[in-house]
Amino acid sequence: MKKAVAVTKVFSVKNGLVMSSKLAMTTVIAVSRRLTIRKFGRLAVGSVMLLAASTSFYALSEEAALKKANSLHEPFSELLSEHVKTIDNGASTQVDYHGFKQDRERLTQYLNSLAKVKKSTFDGWNKADQLAFLINAYNAYTVDLILTEYPKIKSIRDLGGFFSSPWKKEIAPLLGKTRTLDEIEHELIRGQGQNAKGYNEPRIHFAVNCASIGCPALREEAYVGAKLDSQLNAQTKRFLADTSRNRMDGNTLKLSKIFDWYSKDFENNANRKSESWQGAKNVNTENLSQFLLLYKDALSLSSQQVSVLEQDTAELEFLNYDWALNATQ
């Protein structure tokens, strides 16, 4: 009996040791797992934090780039607000070239800042920032060209000659070369020329200003990518609402010569390979009538006139273009 008790005690002791060993092993494994989880958990958290930081930095970089692209035009915007005067209840504007001449140093500084923008920097901007840059460059260099002879001239065409054109003068150091106004408008903006893509944006014709009364108004602020679509839309409505330049009498459309000179820009947009205009709205027009229908309210069209445009049966008449300088009177 004592032997049996002894064996039981031994077994109990051995079993206790076995159980203790198993418990110890389980504890070690559990601790090890916790350490592993903590280690890799910290790595995972660290990775997430790093990813978040990278995303945040990228967003901040994009935001900074956007602010820089827009702030570039603030000096020009200030000049325009000071020297462009609204007339005809907001239908158009006149330019105080005398005031611009007094502030020509500020204008020169702005033009110099445009000249410093590298082509690689420009290429990294979105389309709206690029187009705003080009429109502002065209308008600012046009004002500067007028100032070279103002107040001796009555029209921008006085700056040309029988065999020369003011729009073909190399006056604009821009994106790596000295350019003409024609180059900026027709090649860079409209995409006319070899290997030129352009922006497929017909509303630019109501934004670029040729310093003439017949032109759409020079806007009282600079264009910026962040609100370019709304600015172009406002300029288009402003121009089309001006009955001295555009109107519909009966079934006859009496329009600015702009719609004659650049008719192709308002037609067959649906078949072009380049990007659609008006951003996410993805609006394309196959003919001039369709374009004008987008702004039927600005043109104050009757329901009958809308029907005529929808059928594309309106008679077209283009009004004389006034090349007199758009200077304040």
Side-chain angles (χ1 to χ4, degrees):
M1 189 66 175
K2 289 181 180 178
K3 186 176 180 180
V5 171
V7 170
T8 301
K9 285 183 178 179
V10 171
F11 176 78
S12 298
V13 171
K14 286 183 179 179
N15 189 48
L17 290 172
V18 171
M19 293 299 292
S20 297
S21 299
K22 287 183 177 179
L23 179 62
M25 183 61 69
T26 302
T27 303
V28 169
I29 291 172
V31 171
S32 178
R33 281 178 179 172
R34 284 199 295 270
L35 289 173
T36 302
I37 290 171
R38 286 177 184 174
K39 178 180 178 181
F40 285 99
R42 283 195 297 270
L43 288 174
V45 170
S47 298
V48 170
M49 291 178 67
L50 183 60
L51 178 61
S54 300
T55 304
S56 177
F57 177 77
Y58 179 74
L60 288 172
S61 298
E62 274 211 327
E63 184 180 351
L66 179 63
K67 285 182 178 179
K68 188 174 182 180
N70 290 335
S71 65
L72 174 67
H73 306 296
E74 286 178 1
F76 188 43
S77 206
E78 291 172 1
L79 285 168
L80 290 169
S81 67
E82 293 170 24
H83 303 307
V84 176
K85 314 300 178 185
T86 302
I87 61 170
D88 299 334
N89 296 317
S92 192
T93 59
Q94 292 178 338
V95 181
D96 179 11
Y97 289 107
H98 177 72
F100 258 115
K101 196 148 192 171
Q102 290 183 320
D103 277 332
R104 195 169 184 187
E105 184 177 346
R106 289 167 61 192
L107 179 61
T108 299
Q109 289 174 352
Y110 170 66
L111 293 175
N112 288 342
S113 71
L114 298 185
K116 290 177 182 177
V117 174
K118 296 180 179 179
K119 181 68 164 54
S120 57
T121 300
F122 176 85
D123 290 340
W125 292 342
N126 62 46
K127 298 296 183 183
D129 287 330
Q130 291 178 355
L131 187 51
F133 175 90
L134 294 173
I135 294 172
N136 289 332
Y138 184 95
N139 290 343
Y141 274 111
T142 297
V143 170
D144 193 58
L145 179 62
I146 296 298
L147 297 182
T148 60
E149 295 295 334
Y150 185 82
K152 299 176 184 178
I153 57 172
K154 300 296 181 183
S155 168
I156 188 172
R157 296 198 296 184
D158 295 340
L159 296 170
F162 191 77
F163 295 105
S164 62
S165 162
W167 294 281
K168 296 190 182 301
K169 293 177 179 287
E170 294 184 344
I171 60 171
L174 207 65
L175 303 177
K177 62 174 288 191
T178 303
R179 303 176 186 272
T180 67
L181 291 175
D182 268 357
E183 252 186 286
I184 297 173
E185 180 181 8
H186 303 308
E187 293 183 23
L188 297 181
I189 295 178
R190 295 180 61 230
Q192 305 296 304
Q194 190 175 7
N195 300 321
K197 182 179 180 182
Y199 294 84
N200 192 20
E201 174 54 91
R203 296 176 300 171
I204 61 95
H205 293 296
F206 316 115
V208 294
N209 185 273
C210 63
S212 304
I213 290 175
C215 277
L218 177 62
R219 194 169 177 83
E220 305 93 321
E221 64 176 355
Y223 293 90
V224 292
K227 55 180 182 177
L228 182 63
D229 184 68
S230 62
Q231 289 177 316
L232 292 179
N233 214 38
Q235 285 295 106
T236 304
K237 290 179 179 179
R238 185 183 210 176
F239 186 61
L240 290 175
D242 184 353
T243 55
S244 70
R245 293 173 170 85
N246 305 281
R247 60 186 181 273
M248 192 168 184
D249 293 342
N251 293 344
T252 303
L253 276 169
K254 296 183 177 181
L255 301 173
S256 164
K257 286 287 286 184
I258 287 173
F259 291 104
D260 182 23
W261 294 331
Y262 305 111
S263 59
K264 291 183 180 179
D265 288 9
F266 300 95
E267 301 170 354
N268 300 321
N269 288 303
N271 297 322
R272 292 184 184 177
K273 293 181 180 179
S274 52
E275 296 177 8
S276 299
W277 56 281
Q278 284 202 341
K281 296 178 184 178
N282 198 33
V283 176
N284 280 307
T285 54
E286 295 180 358
N287 55 51
L288 178 57
S289 293
Q290 287 185 6
F291 175 84
L292 294 174
L293 281 169
L294 296 173
Y295 300 96
K296 59 185 178 182
D297 292 339
L299 285 164
S300 300
L301 299 179
S302 68
S303 57
Q304 181 185 349
Q305 289 171 331
V306 168
S307 179
V308 170
L309 285 185
E310 287 174 340
Q311 297 171 43
D312 196 26
T313 57
E315 296 291 327
L316 275 178
E317 180 183 326
F318 297 107
L319 304 175
N320 291 329
Y321 201 81
D322 191 343
W323 284 105
L325 198 64
N326 61 345
T328 50
Q329 304 300 315

